[in-house]
Amino acid sequence: MIKKYFFLFSLLISSLSFNAQQPADSLELSKKILIGITPTPPFVMQENGQYAGLSIDSWELINEEMGMDYEFKEYSSLAELLNGIENKEVDFSINPVTVTDSRMKRMDFSQPYFISHTGVAKRSESQIFNYLANLFSWNFISAILILLAVIFVFGFLVWIFERKKNAEEFGTGTKGILQGFWWSAVTMTTVGYGDKSPRTTGGRVIALIWMFMAIIIISSLTAGIASSLTVQTMNDEINSVQDLSKFNITSVESSSAQELLSLYNIDHSKVANEKQGIKRLENEETKLFVYDEPILRYEIKRSGLEDEIEILPKTLKKDYYAYSFPKDSELVDEINPVLISVLKTMEWNSIMSKYE
């Protein structure tokens, strides 16, 4: 009898325990997921009062299978969004956040869903302006001065020997020195008017030396002058990240591009988003704007500045965009398999082609 009552009591306790847990489990299952975002066209943007973009479309594809109840929480800048993720203000973010070593210490990431590059934007410049700038550059002027100095030296040496025995052609004093300079220039250019020629042994030896040296010197100086006159584009000057230190640089605060500049100790200004950076370029407040290439291209096209601002062909590094999560989030393991399967679908290829 005692065993019977004990069994019934145990059954009652188990039933109460199950009923007590059921609301909590239901609450957990019905929990609304909070997704952090910040406007980053063409990945996250608003169209007709609704969020749209490549990242939004990718999440909608994923959630077709997962069926999560969610809402977006918008942040005003990338820096605020990253802080919100790290502080667990949101469950995760679908924004195009580049996976970097420093960020992996602060948060977790999903499988990358987009491959990008860090690009460099600048104002378009006239080739004629660049040519004129190089024409009056110190490199060009110094090459001309060196050439004139060499001509003068050999003209002066010939005049030293000819001033007395060949005074009718080379004369004396300042006039004679100028006549020696004229002879030296004519000889170097192989024009050879024949109006002046050395007659002394010393003068002819100097002339012979000068003739052979002139061939070498003028070839070298011609190459130097041509090099100084060649219009050197900014793209030719930037072959590595370190080369950026020669310019006035701007980047988006807390972006992977800004992290790269800080890593190489390159002085730069920071803005909150790509719109402010493009505006600084447009107003000539900065020489270069370093940021994610697809975002730069979209903003330049959206602003109608294709003729005024261009992106250099050379990129600084490859970037991998992924969803970002607070550290040790369980959602990473839930979303990753679905994300990977979505990346293999025709629907994803259609989305990608829409934003290319």
Side-chain angles (χ1 to χ4, degrees), residues 274-288:
E274 69 282 356
K275 292 181 181 180
Q276 294 180 15
I278 294 297
K279 196 69 177 177
R280 283 179 62 85
L281 269 181
E282 189 180 4
N283 296 336
E284 299 185 14
E285 297 173 5
T286 187
K287 190 70 174 178
L288 301 175

Side-chain angles (χ1 to χ4, degrees), residues 1-14:
M1 192 70 174
I2 294 175
K3 291 183 177 179
K4 180 179 178 181
Y5 284 119
F6 180 76
F7 173 75
L8 291 174
F9 179 75
S10 299
L11 188 62
L12 179 62
I13 294 298
S14 299

Side-chain angles (χ1 to χ4, degrees), residues 156-276:
F156 180 77
L157 290 175
V158 166
W159 174 77
I160 290 294
F161 287 100
E162 300 293 321
R163 70 185 189 280
K164 294 180 178 180
K165 296 184 178 180
N166 194 8
E168 65 275 13
E169 292 185 8
F170 286 91
T172 59
T174 303
K175 183 179 179 181
I177 294 175
L178 292 177
Q179 289 174 338
F181 179 84
W182 168 256
W183 169 87
S184 181
V186 169
T187 301
M188 183 197 69
T189 57
T190 67
V191 173
Y193 287 118
D195 57 336
K196 300 182 188 304
S197 59
R199 297 178 182 177
T200 64
T201 302
R204 289 179 177 178
V205 169
I206 295 297
L208 185 63
I209 295 172
W210 174 230
M211 290 176 192
F212 284 104
M213 286 190 63
I215 296 174
I216 300 172
I217 293 174
I218 198 170
S219 298
S220 301
L221 290 176
T222 301
I225 293 172
S227 176
S228 67
L229 287 177
T230 300
V231 175
Q232 187 177 30
T233 64
M234 193 174 293
N235 189 46
D236 294 331
E237 295 182 62
I238 302 175
N239 296 304
S240 65
V241 179
Q242 291 92 333
D243 293 333
L244 295 175
S245 60
K246 299 180 289 185
F247 305 98
N248 182 8
I249 306 290
T250 298
S251 188
V252 173
E253 185 178 7
S254 296
S255 66
S256 63
Q258 195 252 320
E259 286 185 12
L260 180 69
L261 296 174
S262 298
L263 180 65
Y264 285 89
N265 296 318
I266 296 173
D267 291 334
H268 59 279
S269 302
K270 291 177 281 189
V271 292
N273 52 52
E274 69 282 356
K275 292 181 181 180
Q276 294 180 15

Side-chain angles (χ1 to χ4, degrees), residues 119-127 130 233-235 278 281 287-289 293 296-297 300-301 305-314:
V120 181
K122 73 174 187 69
R123 286 185 60 85
S124 302
E125 296 177 347
S126 169
Q127 293 296 318
N130 286 337
T233 64
M234 193 174 293
N235 189 46
I278 294 297
L281 269 181
K287 190 70 174 178
L288 301 175
F289 180 40
E293 184 180 12
L296 284 174
R297 291 192 183 280
I300 291 170
K301 184 177 180 180
L305 298 173
E306 296 97 322
D307 296 332
E308 297 180 36
I309 298 175
E310 61 179 320
I311 298 176
L312 301 184
K314 295 178 182 177

